[in-house]
């Protein structure tokens, strides 16, 4: 049974206090509501301004596989924004997703965060390059439904030959093509001992004429529709010998799996922390609980073997081996000069049309050849 204490204040004073408090509460609620409304209005207007930009300009979507902060993407976006001709939007992975191929994230939720790139509407995504392109083209993220062009890159390292099959930057362009949007994939043939960060700026400079020509001809309806273009820029972009239409080769770097000692494996402590240490923590909790119970009862703690067997998990005694994959460059054999890696090694900017249908290969090559010839003979716009 609950009893109420007798109120010691005069009824008139109580009423006055209640009046004042209720009015004060109402004022606070009004102020809070006004503040929330102002905040919402500011946020909405800011978001709208960021997403809409200038609707009269063609929309260009930029992505990559190395992450939203990578130099190739940042320099490319800065150059496109600087032209003042395009409504530039970015949707790129939060972290490096190179060699992720055409993989999508399913059965998991990805997170999208606004990124700061001056002059562009940008988002970083905790998913793959294909996730980024698929999400961007879905209409769920941006206010527009279809960009004029998707550009994937500029990535560090060649994506020629068989590297196309597991390349994340190639997959970004392929996903755009599958969705019916023209696209370009751009990679710089980065060499660890020769390349420097300024090469990305040079790679952007040599790519812009082709990007501008593609955008111009997409609007005219004369850009090849059944393929995307993979653009491979040589190690020294400034010294390039010009554009060359190429075909995908069978070339690939040599995969080399190296055994890594457990004590030198950086992922081993991470595994230990997530798996075995959980068992040890559960076992310790069991021991602590038993000890506490025994102290309360004044008896000797019982053996905790059953608790420890659950936490330690006998499967942890299995032998583990650790390996790390590296790709080793191999000498280029004398072969057809029209192949991508050969032209790239000879200093050309290799432009390879890539289709998603094997039946269209010859038609694709013809259409791309015709377009490239027209661009080069007419002079690509700067």
């Amino acid at each position: 049974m609950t009893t109420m204490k007798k109120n010691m204040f005069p009824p008139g004073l109580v009423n006055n206090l209640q009046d004042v408090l209720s009015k004060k509460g109402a004022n606070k609620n009004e102020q809070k509501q006004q503040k929330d409304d102002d905040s919402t209005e500011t946020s909405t207007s800011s978001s709208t301004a960021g997403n809409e930009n200038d609707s009269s300009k063609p929309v260009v979507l930029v992505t990559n596989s190395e992450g939203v902060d990578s130099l190739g993407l940042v320099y490319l976006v800065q150059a496109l924004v600087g032209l003042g001709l395009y409504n530039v939007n970015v949707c790129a992975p939060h972290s490096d997703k190179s060699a992720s191929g055409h993989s999508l994230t399913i059965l998991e939720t990805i997170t999208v965060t606004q990124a700061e790139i001056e002059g562009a509407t940008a988002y970083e995504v905790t998913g793959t390059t294909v996730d980024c392109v698929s999400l961007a083209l879905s209409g769920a993220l941006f206010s527009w439904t279809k960009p004029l062009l998707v550009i994937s890159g500029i990535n560090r390292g060649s994506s020629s030959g068989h590297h196309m099959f597991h390349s994340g930057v190639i997959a970004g362009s392929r996903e755009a093509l599958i969705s019916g949007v023209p696209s370009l994939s751009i990679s710089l043939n980065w060499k660890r001992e020769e390349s420097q960060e300024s090469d990305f700026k040079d790679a952007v400079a040599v790519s812009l004429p082709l990007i501008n020509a593609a955008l111009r001809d997409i609007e005219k309806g004369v850009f090849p529709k059944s393929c995307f273009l993979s653009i491979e820029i040589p190690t020294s972009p400034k010294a390039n010998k010009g554009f060359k239409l190429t075909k995908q080769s069978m070339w690939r770097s040599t995969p080399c799996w190296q055994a890594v000692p457990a004590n030198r494996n950086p992922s081993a402590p991470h595994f230990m922390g997530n798996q075995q240490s959980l068992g040890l923590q559960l076992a310790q909790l069991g021991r602590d609980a038993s000890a506490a119970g025994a102290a309360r009862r004044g008896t000797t703690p019982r053996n905790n073997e059953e608790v420890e067997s659950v936490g330690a998990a006998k499967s942890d005694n299995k032998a583990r081996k650790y390996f790390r994959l590296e790709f080793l460059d191999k000498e280029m054999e004398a072969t057809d000069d029209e192949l991508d890696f050969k032209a790239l090694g000879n200093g050309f900017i290799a432009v390879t049309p890539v289709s998603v249908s094997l039946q269209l290969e010859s038609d694709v090559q013809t259409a791309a050849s015709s377009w490239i010839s027209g661009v080069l003979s007419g002079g690509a716009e700067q």
Side-chain angles (χ1 to χ4, degrees):
M1 180 176 178
T2 305
T3 59
M4 300 293 292
K5 291 184 180 179
K6 186 176 179 182
N7 196 330
M8 303 302 293
F9 294 102
L13 178 59
V14 171
N15 290 338
N16 288 340
L17 285 171
Q18 287 175 339
D19 242 3
V20 171
L21 290 174
S22 64
K23 287 179 181 177
K24 187 176 181 181
N27 288 338
K28 278 187 177 178
N29 287 336
E30 288 175 5
Q31 290 172 0
K32 183 178 183 301
Q33 184 63 43
Q34 182 62 40
K35 186 177 179 181
D36 289 344
D37 290 345
D38 292 345
S39 174
T40 302
E41 187 177 347
T42 302
S43 174
T44 303
S45 62
S46 171
S47 175
T48 303
N51 282 334
E52 294 300 332
N53 291 330
D54 186 348
S55 58
S56 66
K57 297 177 181 178
V59 175
V60 176
L61 174 67
V62 181
T63 189
N64 73 349
S65 67
E66 295 180 337
V68 72
D69 295 323
S70 67
L71 289 177
L73 181 142
V74 171
Y75 289 151
L76 175 59
V77 171
Q78 287 175 349
L80 291 171
V81 169
L83 292 175
L85 302 173
Y86 314 117
N87 179 346
V88 184
N89 297 259
V90 178
C91 190
H94 166 73
S95 57
D96 193 341
K97 297 295 181 181
S98 298
S100 58
H102 207 104
S103 59
L104 279 163
T105 302
I106 59 173
L107 305 179
E108 291 181 22
T109 300
I110 62 173
T111 302
V112 178
T113 308
Q114 194 150 17
E116 296 298 326
I117 301 181
E118 189 174 353
T121 302
Y123 294 97
E124 55 184 79
V125 179
T126 59
T128 65
T129 306
V130 176
D131 286 329
C132 294
V133 175
S134 178
L135 175 61
L137 300 183
S138 70
L141 182 61
F142 294 99
S143 59
W144 42 262
T145 55
K146 188 176 180 181
L148 192 63
L149 176 69
V150 171
I151 305 174
S152 187
I154 296 173
N155 266 44
R156 183 189 303 252
S158 172
S159 297
S160 60
H162 276 188
H163 288 287
M164 284 191 185
F165 295 115
H166 53 70
S167 166
V169 70
I170 290 287
S173 285
R174 187 188 299 117
E175 180 65 18
L177 176 62
I178 291 171
S179 302
V181 180
S183 59
L184 305 175
S185 168
I186 310 176
S187 298
L188 170 64
N189 190 27
W190 180 274
K191 299 291 185 183
R192 189 177 301 174
E193 304 301 326
E194 302 175 38
S195 301
Q196 48 193 358
E197 292 183 352
S198 61
D199 291 332
F200 282 110
K201 287 188 176 181
D202 296 334
V204 170
V206 301
S207 300
L208 280 179
L210 199 62
I211 292 172
N212 288 330
L215 284 159
R216 176 197 65 206
D217 288 350
I218 290 169
E219 289 189 297
K220 291 180 179 178
V222 295
F223 186 80
K225 294 181 175 63
S226 53
C227 67
F228 68 89
L229 300 181
S230 171
I231 303 168
E232 296 281 318
I233 300 172
T235 306
S236 300
K238 278 185 175 179
N240 79 83
K241 296 178 181 178
F243 294 94
K244 188 179 185 69
L245 183 69
T246 56
K247 297 176 289 187
Q248 182 183 359
S249 66
M250 303 286 284
W251 179 85
R252 67 178 293 194
S253 299
T254 304
C256 181
W257 286 96
Q258 296 285 348
V260 180
N263 60 353
R264 292 175 54 194
N265 175 43
S267 63
H270 176 71
F271 179 86
M272 183 77 169
N274 285 341
Q275 304 292 331
Q276 188 173 349
S277 68
L278 176 60
L280 297 176
Q281 290 173 34
L282 289 172
Q284 185 60 49
L285 284 172
R287 287 193 291 270
D288 291 346
S290 296
R296 285 195 301 272
R297 294 189 302 270
T299 59
T300 304
R302 289 189 296 174
N303 193 310
N304 294 308
E305 287 181 3
E306 291 185 0
V307 176
E308 290 189 27
S309 67
V310 173
K314 291 182 180 179
S315 62
D316 278 352
N317 294 326
K318 290 181 180 178
R320 293 187 180 86
K321 296 181 179 181
Y322 301 96
F323 296 89
R324 183 180 299 276
L325 173 62
E326 294 182 359
F327 283 99
L328 304 179
D329 288 339
K330 62 181 180 181
E331 294 295 323
M332 294 189 299
E333 301 173 3
T335 184
D336 185 354
D337 288 338
E338 303 299 314
L339 295 179
D340 52 11
F341 85 94
K342 184 69 174 179
L344 186 64
N346 288 337
F348 289 95
I349 299 174
V351 182
T352 306
V354 183
S355 172
V356 293
S357 173
L358 294 178
Q359 285 72 27
L360 294 174
E361 288 296 339
S362 59
D363 294 340
V364 164
Q365 197 73 14
T366 302
S369 176
S370 175
W371 182 78
I372 290 286
S373 299
V375 168
L376 297 182
S377 61
E381 294 180 0
Q382 294 294 333

